[in-house]
Amino acid sequence: MSAQPRTGPTARMTVDEFLAWTEGQPGRHELLNGEVFAMSPQRAVHARVKYRVHRALDRAILAAGVPCEMFPDGMVVRVDAETSFEPDALVRCGDRLADSAVEADAPVIVIEVVSPSTRHIDTGAKLMGYFQLSSVQHYLILDTERRTVIHHRRSTGDLIETRIAASGDLSLDPPGLTLAVAALFAEP
């Protein structure tokens, strides 16, 4: 998400109003507390890491044999009535979404690749927002400069555990996936 708000309507809006508005808009947008934010164009390194994440998640889901589906960026995650984000990747388990769906309800894993302009939002508003959703078990923030993953994991009660990994495997249970950190940053 860009640091520049208000590329669209000047009035605050709900997620439902936002989704109707975005259908006719070029580019990608997110809604935070009723305000529209334009998403900046991504850099090549960002796109490469997102691609690797998508591939790694697809492979991990297949290897684990779990009834889950990976979605690349573009699917909306509704946090509350006035906030929705489009993560760089997510995993959702259970019944398959309808082909016409634009929202991914009940994501289990949410992933953001950090950009210079989004670091404060990814580590602040999005961290707090995603964990408002009881379905979210893991929130991964990938730092392309440091080649590390900040893994926030739901624990018992209202605790969120954080691990920073530059190597090794990430255990994403539930739903039972394993991701090698090196595969997320390695050149093909």
Side-chain angles (χ1 to χ4, degrees):
M1 180 185 320
S2 165
Q4 300 298 321
R6 296 292 181 205
T7 60
T10 56
R12 295 176 63 85
M13 60 174 63
T14 67
V15 172
D16 290 331
E17 293 165 337
F18 169 75
L19 292 175
W21 175 81
T22 58
E23 280 194 33
Q25 302 301 314
R28 293 176 50 217
H29 302 83
E30 290 185 322
L31 187 69
L32 178 60
N33 299 322
E35 290 187 57
V36 175
F37 288 81
M39 297 177 72
S40 299
Q42 62 188 358
R43 297 168 192 224
V45 67
H46 191 99
R48 287 184 192 111
V49 170
K50 280 187 359 184
Y51 171 73
R52 289 185 197 104
V53 166
H54 299 164
R55 287 185 49 183
L57 286 171
D58 269 343
R59 288 179 183 151
I61 290 167
L62 184 62
V66 293
C68 301
E69 193 172 13
M70 184 282 300
F71 287 97
D73 59 349
M75 293 298 292
V76 171
V77 173
R78 183 186 301 243
V79 171
D80 59 35
E82 293 187 330
T83 300
S84 66
F85 300 125
E86 285 188 24
D88 288 320
L90 66 86
V91 173
R92 183 188 172 280
C93 302
D95 293 337
R96 185 177 173 91
L97 284 178
D99 287 346
S100 61
V102 295
E103 286 186 63
D105 65 326
V108 176
I109 301 168
V110 182
I111 299 176
E112 296 284 0
V113 179
V114 172
S115 298
S117 65
T118 66
R119 180 176 305 277
H120 68 289
I121 294 167
D122 293 338
T123 59
K126 287 186 178 185
L127 171 63
M128 298 301 291
Y130 288 136
F131 278 109
Q132 286 180 33
L133 304 174
S134 61
S135 65
V136 173
Q137 300 298 309
H138 307 276
Y139 175 39
L140 306 179
I141 302 172
L142 280 69
D143 186 326
T144 59
E145 291 176 11
R146 294 179 180 89
R147 299 173 69 91
T148 57
V149 178
I150 303 168
H151 177 193
H152 299 285
R153 180 175 89 65
R154 188 178 301 277
S155 187
T156 56
D158 60 353
L159 292 176
I160 304 299
E161 296 175 349
T162 301
R163 171 183 174 223
I164 301 173
S167 62
D169 290 338
L170 299 172
S171 176
L172 306 176
D173 192 29
L177 306 184
T178 301
L179 293 180
V181 173
L184 303 175
F185 298 103
E187 294 298 321

